[in-house]
Amino acid sequence: MAYPSFFMLRMVVDERDIDQLDHVNNIAYLRWVLDVAVAHSTAVGLDVETYRRLGGVFVVRRHEIDYLRPVLRGESLELRTWIDSVFAAKCRRATEIVRIGVGEKETIVARAMTTWGFIEIATGRPTRIPNDIRLAFGQQARGHDAASAE
């Protein structure tokens, strides 16, 4: 697959990720999707304190996860994420979880799509995503004549 510019985080499956069936629990996948999103945001200079200073923050509106292959304890994974699309007050972030190993072919074990809404911290109401944030994630700035917030 030809990826847009993506952020990557590597990890090894830990004992706490394993369920009663001896494979990764679905809650672990969700945690990884959130972990890589936060790491990506921090890497582009948008940590929690920066969002507070800006007066707005992203919150999850929807998660969709497709579980493609089982994952076991001790396996090495690469979490890949990128901004798929941006609207006035929300964006969609794609994530792939890929099994990696020395001499092994990479295997996509899960795919996720998360819709993030941008809200004003003081009111909790949706607000436009500032151009500085769009640009930090490699997205186009939005003009002043843009449609109303979605």
Side-chain angles (χ1 to χ4, degrees):
M1 172 179 181
Y3 290 98
S5 178
F6 70 89
F7 177 81
M8 181 266 304
L9 184 65
R10 288 194 174 183
M11 58 161 296
V12 175
V13 176
D14 189 81
E15 186 65 37
R16 71 183 174 132
D17 301 320
I18 303 301
D19 65 13
Q20 304 88 334
L21 300 176
D22 254 3
H23 61 55
V24 171
N25 187 295
N26 62 337
I27 298 300
Y29 290 90
L30 180 59
R31 187 178 67 249
W32 298 338
V33 167
L34 293 171
D35 287 350
V36 72
V38 169
H40 183 201
S41 188
T42 300
V44 300
L46 296 167
D47 61 8
V48 174
E49 287 308 313
T50 303
Y51 283 116
R52 282 192 181 123
R53 240 186 357 268
L54 294 170
V57 67
F58 286 101
V59 296
V60 173
R61 290 182 58 191
R62 178 183 177 93
H63 283 296
E64 300 171 64
I65 302 177
D66 295 317
Y67 304 96
L68 306 173
R69 303 275 188 280
V71 176
L72 308 173
R73 86 177 37 81
E75 291 187 318
S76 295
L77 301 175
E78 187 172 272
L79 313 177
R80 300 172 182 169
T81 190
W82 62 94
I83 303 301
D84 181 71
S85 54
V86 180
F87 305 93
K90 69 180 179 180
C91 69
R92 291 175 42 94
R93 174 184 287 278
T95 304
E96 287 186 345
I97 301 173
V98 181
R99 181 183 298 117
I100 57 173
V102 179
E104 294 180 26
K105 182 180 175 198
E106 293 182 351
T107 304
I108 298 171
V109 297
R111 285 191 176 103
M113 186 65 71
T114 303
T115 303
W116 293 84
F118 195 74
I119 63 165
E120 184 178 27
I121 293 172
T123 65
R125 298 188 49 80
T127 190
R128 291 185 184 280
I129 301 169
N131 282 333
D132 289 347
I133 292 175
R134 291 170 177 275
L135 294 171
F137 284 114
Q139 300 295 310
Q140 241 182 338
R142 192 171 183 103
H144 293 305
D145 60 341
S148 63
E150 293 181 25

